[in-house]
Amino acid sequence: MGHGIAATDGPSVTVGPMRGIISWGAYLPYRRLDKSQISAFIGQGGGRGTRAVASFDEDTTSMGVEAARLALCGAEVSGASAPEVVLFGTALPAYADKTNATAIHAALRLPAEVPAFDMGASVGSTAGALRLALSTVGNRLVVTSDMRTGLAGSADEANGGDAAAAFVIGEGDGVVAEYIGGATITEEFIDRWRSPGDIRSKVWDDKFSELTYVAAGRQAYKNALEAAGLSADQVDLVAVAAPTARIGSALASKVGAAKVVDDLTATIGCTGAAQPGLVLCNALENAEPGQTIALVALADGANVMILRTTPAIAKYTPARSIASQLESGAPLAYGRFLSWRGMINVEPPRRPEPARPSGTAAARTTDWKFGFVGSRDSQTGDVFLPPMRVSSDGQRTDQMEDAPMADVQGTIATFTVDRMAYSPSPPIIFAVVDFDGGGRLPIELTDTDLEEVAIGGRVEMTFRRLFTADGIHNYFWKGKLIRG
């Protein structure tokens, strides 16, 4: 084992308002892969349970947007002020060189004065973002997201998962979980690694990783308890995010946890950089006021953050709970999964692939393209999608107001199934949607099976990737059915 470097945060006491989590949001992709399909198809791998699978039009940025929207919805209900900084952690960024957090910033329509930073392409980046946000002053939006896979038939393929989680962190009476201390043990050792551009991670000996992580986790846990002024029996819930479920269970048994929060690996999978956020969301969803939660994040060492829930958590209702999303998922065929992950090539429609998006055009229409903001006639109230400058009667110019539509639901007026247009996962379902309060637009539907679509069906908007050309991701908004 390498030489660990320990760092601690003392208890948050005394002066000023308490600081901690104000709201949270977890996002699970709609599709689930039954792992028993893998061995039947490939002849090896697989197992029991399911894993969450990001759609062909999702990536870590788009999933991060969805988690952040849920977290900001909760913050709005709590009366929290807007985030002053956006921190984005993922091990699989959509772009290198270019900042990915800026696309999240644009989709959320945050002011230009709000900085947005990527925390680096590593699993440990999310623990760093959380520690940084909890240990500083001001409102912070922390977004964590990841997509995990491996070669066909591998353990990583079966046990990985895709998800995102986000938190609004700040001060005041709206805090639902106060940060009371934490500690870090940093270790340099080889357990998982991936060269830039590779689709799969490589793994060293599991037993070596387990011994190293358990030792680091125990030391960080001990130091965090001392920093928070607590004994082990005063911790009510322990949430462990580990490279594998086995390592997480081994550590939980060594720290004397009274109750271990479900890490969701049996249903969602190990979600890499998103795992600390996901297990923390699960702990908060099941916590009661006055309980102490220890979050243990194992990645290149160990980070432990200890929080205590406040009376405000009893009044907090997640915008979309993990439990409700688990119930609403739909199965995905293993062959389609391999196609989405680029492991097999399926013949696309015989049409030219799209040209790369224009950077200058995107810059001129950021509010529309990323924020889905139309225009509303200030006199008649007519809504235009996309935004227009001239009124319906042609009598007035530039007498429009912004009409944010990302959170507005709509009704399908008509639809068509296009089997000829280019798509990474054909066919495409296009629907003409009448939005509540005005506005009509033909939009692509996603996370939808053909037999589900009907005139009169209700849809909500979701941030997705239309296509990628010349390395440029063409992000925009699609519709998805509101079921039930």
Side-chain angles (χ1 to χ4, degrees), residues 357-374:
S358 166
T360 50
R364 288 194 300 267
T365 58
T366 298
D367 278 353
W368 166 244
K369 178 175 173 53
F370 288 91
F372 202 55
V373 178

Side-chain angles (χ1 to χ4, degrees), residues 26 73 150 157-158 162 166 169-170 190 219 223 231 242 257 275 283 303 319 340 343 363 401 405 472 481:
C73 181
E157 178 192 57
D162 309 331
I169 294 172
I190 299 296
Q219 186 61 53
N223 293 352
S231 59
Q275 192 76 358
N303 274 280
W340 287 359
M343 295 293 180
E401 305 167 348
M405 302 297 288
I472 299 176
L481 295 179

Side-chain angles (χ1 to χ4, degrees), residues 69-426:
R69 292 174 69 196
L70 296 172
L72 289 178
C73 181
E76 185 178 350
V77 172
S78 302
S81 56
E84 299 167 18
V85 177
V86 178
L87 302 174
F88 180 44
T90 181
L92 190 68
Y95 285 115
D97 285 355
K98 185 187 182 314
T99 301
N100 297 274
T102 53
I104 297 174
H105 178 286
L108 300 176
R109 300 183 60 241
L110 296 175
E113 293 75 17
V114 173
F117 302 113
D118 289 351
M119 293 297 291
S122 68
V123 173
S125 63
T126 58
L130 284 168
R131 279 290 297 275
L132 181 63
L134 289 166
S135 305
T136 54
V137 179
N139 273 24
R140 306 285 185 259
L141 174 62
V142 174
V143 183
T144 71
S145 179
D146 214 350
M147 294 170 59
R148 308 295 280 177
T149 193
L151 297 179
S154 67
D156 269 6
E157 178 192 57
N159 299 327
D162 309 331
F167 303 87
V168 175
I169 294 172
E171 297 98 4
D173 295 337
V175 168
V176 297
E178 180 186 9
Y179 179 56
I180 58 176
T184 298
I185 295 292
T186 299
E187 292 283 358
E188 167 52 31
F189 68 103
I190 299 296
D191 68 317
R192 297 180 65 87
W193 71 99
R194 176 169 52 86
S195 299
D198 284 354
I199 194 172
R200 46 85 62 129
S201 296
K202 298 176 183 178
V203 184
W204 200 257
D205 177 64
D206 282 353
K207 190 61 179 176
F208 168 71
S209 298
E210 181 179 333
L211 292 171
T212 307
Y213 275 124
V214 169
R218 292 180 71 180
Q219 186 61 53
Y221 195 79
K222 177 178 178 292
N223 293 352
L225 290 177
E226 291 176 358
L230 298 173
S231 59
D233 59 1
Q234 291 177 292
V235 177
D236 299 292
L237 302 171
V238 175
V240 182
T244 67
R246 171 178 165 170
I247 293 174
S249 298
L251 176 61
S253 68
K254 296 293 185 182
V255 299
K259 184 177 180 181
V260 181
V261 178
D262 183 3
D263 62 7
L264 303 170
T265 53
T267 50
I268 299 171
C270 289
T271 54
Q275 192 76 358
L278 194 64
V279 295
L280 180 54
C281 286
N282 198 34
L284 292 169
E285 285 188 13
N286 293 281
E288 299 174 357
Q291 288 190 315
T292 300
I293 301 171
L295 170 65
V296 185
L298 302 179
D300 301 313
N303 274 280
V304 179
M305 289 155 269
I306 300 180
L307 304 106
R308 181 177 292 123
T309 56
T310 72
I313 201 168
K315 303 175 183 177
Y316 185 90
T317 302
R320 190 163 292 170
S321 69
I322 292 175
S324 67
Q325 294 181 72
L326 283 173
E327 292 175 358
S328 63
L332 177 71
Y334 181 56
R336 182 58 63 95
F337 168 81
L338 291 175
S339 172
W340 287 359
R341 285 297 197 263
M343 295 293 180
I344 59 174
N345 293 322
V346 176
E347 185 180 24
R350 296 176 182 176
R351 291 291 183 274
E353 295 187 13
R356 72 177 183 180
S358 166
T360 50
R364 288 194 300 267
T365 58
T366 298
D367 278 353
W368 166 244
K369 178 175 173 53
F370 288 91
F372 202 55
V373 178
S375 59
R376 179 179 286 105
D377 191 312
S378 56
Q379 292 193 22
T380 65
D382 292 341
V383 175
F384 298 90
L385 300 172
M388 304 292 288
R389 296 178 57 196
V390 181
S391 61
S392 298
D393 57 14
Q395 300 302 307
R396 297 177 304 284
T397 302
D398 292 333
Q399 296 185 30
M400 300 285 180
E401 305 167 348
D402 285 345
M405 302 297 288
D407 296 321
V408 179
Q409 298 177 356
T411 302
I412 296 174
T414 187
F415 69 93
T416 186
V417 179
D418 193 332
R419 302 180 187 276
M420 301 299 290
Y422 173 82
S423 171
S425 186

